[in-house]
Amino acid sequence: MEPIVEGKVKTVYQGVDPEQVLIHYHDKVTAGNGEKEDYPEGKGKINNEISCIIFKELEKAGIKTHFIQYAGPALMRCKKVDIIPIEVVVRNYADGSIVRQTTIPKYTKFNPPLIEFYLKDDDKNDPLLTEDRLHIMGYRQLHQYKQYAREVNVVVSGLFEKIGIALIDFKIEFGVTADGLVVVADEISPDGCRLLAEGDKSMDKDLFRKGEGDIITAYSSILKSLQEIVNI
């Protein structure tokens, strides 16, 4: 298979069908734009399966994604898309950078959820973008991105709520298909979410980022619980 994109924790390969790709999830975790990394065994398989479940649930809800099917351990078959280089962050509660950079108290609930845009560029440290800057940069579909993000949030936060986990915030990426359709792309897994279980227990990549626990144990628990509620 021919690699198209080699990222920090995933590689995208050209599929046999010219409009399809295979995404391989690696046994690797990074933080600080790759400054900290580790290679936990089984992580790729777990994140792939969690992402497959979430994408399937989004499709059931009528939300278009790049997902086609599970393609084997740590592999996902997807529609080929051009990734929009903007990360959309949905915040249900205040945590992370918004607490560090503002006077908003931690765990302040946002109702409606706060939606932010960040430039997808590690060299620039993924800066926060204002809507005016985005318009100048040529992005005219911000209303559409926001609406999609809200719809995705309803589904994903609902899934985690069913397994006793609060979705504090999470990242979404969008891509454009060959026929011009904007769809949810990349992955939705604990790597790109901030998840809190009972007792303020972190269940996401913060465990690795802060050195506070084992992500494989946490991610495996999430996968098992999601499999139970969707009857896999």
Side-chain angles (χ1 to χ4, degrees):
M1 293 185 293
E2 176 189 351
I4 300 173
V5 178
E6 297 188 51
K8 291 194 289 284
V9 296
K10 297 188 298 294
T11 299
V12 181
Y13 294 95
Q14 176 61 56
V16 176
D17 185 317
E19 296 305 326
Q20 294 183 8
V21 295
L22 284 173
I23 300 178
H24 177 222
Y25 288 70
H26 302 309
D27 287 347
K28 183 178 179 181
V29 59
T30 69
N33 284 337
E35 293 178 6
K36 182 179 181 181
E37 63 181 47
D38 195 13
Y39 300 85
E41 184 177 356
K43 175 181 173 287
K45 178 178 182 295
I46 295 166
N47 269 10
N48 178 54
E49 293 185 25
I50 291 173
S51 286
C52 285
I53 289 171
I54 292 174
F55 279 129
K56 285 179 183 177
E57 293 301 306
L58 291 175
E59 291 282 350
K60 285 181 187 177
I63 299 169
K64 298 299 182 183
T65 77
H66 71 160
F67 177 76
I68 296 175
Q69 63 185 177
Y70 172 82
L75 285 173
M76 178 189 292
R77 189 181 310 281
C78 297
K79 303 179 188 76
K80 190 174 186 178
V81 299
D82 289 326
I83 292 290
I84 298 167
I86 301 295
E87 294 181 351
V88 182
V89 173
V90 182
R91 298 185 185 275
N92 294 305
Y93 299 88
D95 201 353
S97 62
I98 197 169
V99 173
R100 294 192 304 271
Q101 297 168 1
T102 73
T103 59
I104 299 171
K106 188 173 182 178
Y107 297 150
T108 297
K109 183 175 176 61
F110 298 119
N111 190 17
L114 181 63
I115 299 173
E116 298 176 334
F117 299 96
Y118 292 80
L119 182 65
K120 186 177 168 64
D121 189 329
D122 286 348
D123 292 338
K124 298 182 185 297
N125 291 316
D126 303 330
L128 177 67
L129 295 171
T130 65
E131 293 192 27
D132 284 343
R133 288 186 179 187
L134 284 162
H135 280 297
I136 292 170
M137 292 164 65
Y139 294 98
R140 307 296 184 192
Q141 295 176 291
L142 300 185
H143 177 76
Q144 181 183 12
Y145 299 159
K146 282 188 171 184
Q147 182 59 34
Y148 285 175
R150 292 187 187 101
E151 293 172 0
V152 171
N153 184 49
V154 169
V155 175
V156 180
S157 61
L159 275 176
F160 283 116
E161 185 178 354
K162 288 178 182 177
I163 62 173
I165 293 176
L167 179 60
I168 303 301
D169 57 44
F170 70 112
K171 179 195 74 172
I172 307 172
E173 293 189 27
F174 294 108
V176 182
T177 64
D179 56 2
L181 184 67
V182 175
V183 299
V184 182
D186 193 50
E187 68 176 296
I188 300 179
S189 77
D191 270 9
C193 301
R194 187 169 277 113
L195 303 166
L196 208 61
E198 188 176 352
D200 287 352
K201 181 181 178 183
S202 179
M203 298 290 285
D204 55 71
K205 198 168 71 170
D206 272 356
L207 291 168
F208 169 72
R209 188 180 288 114
K210 299 177 181 179
E212 295 179 347
D214 177 35
I215 64 169
I216 294 300
T217 300
Y219 289 16
S220 296
S221 172
I222 289 171
L223 175 58
K224 181 179 178 182
S225 297
L226 288 175
Q227 288 173 330
E228 288 174 355
I229 66 169
V230 297
N231 299 315
I232 292 180

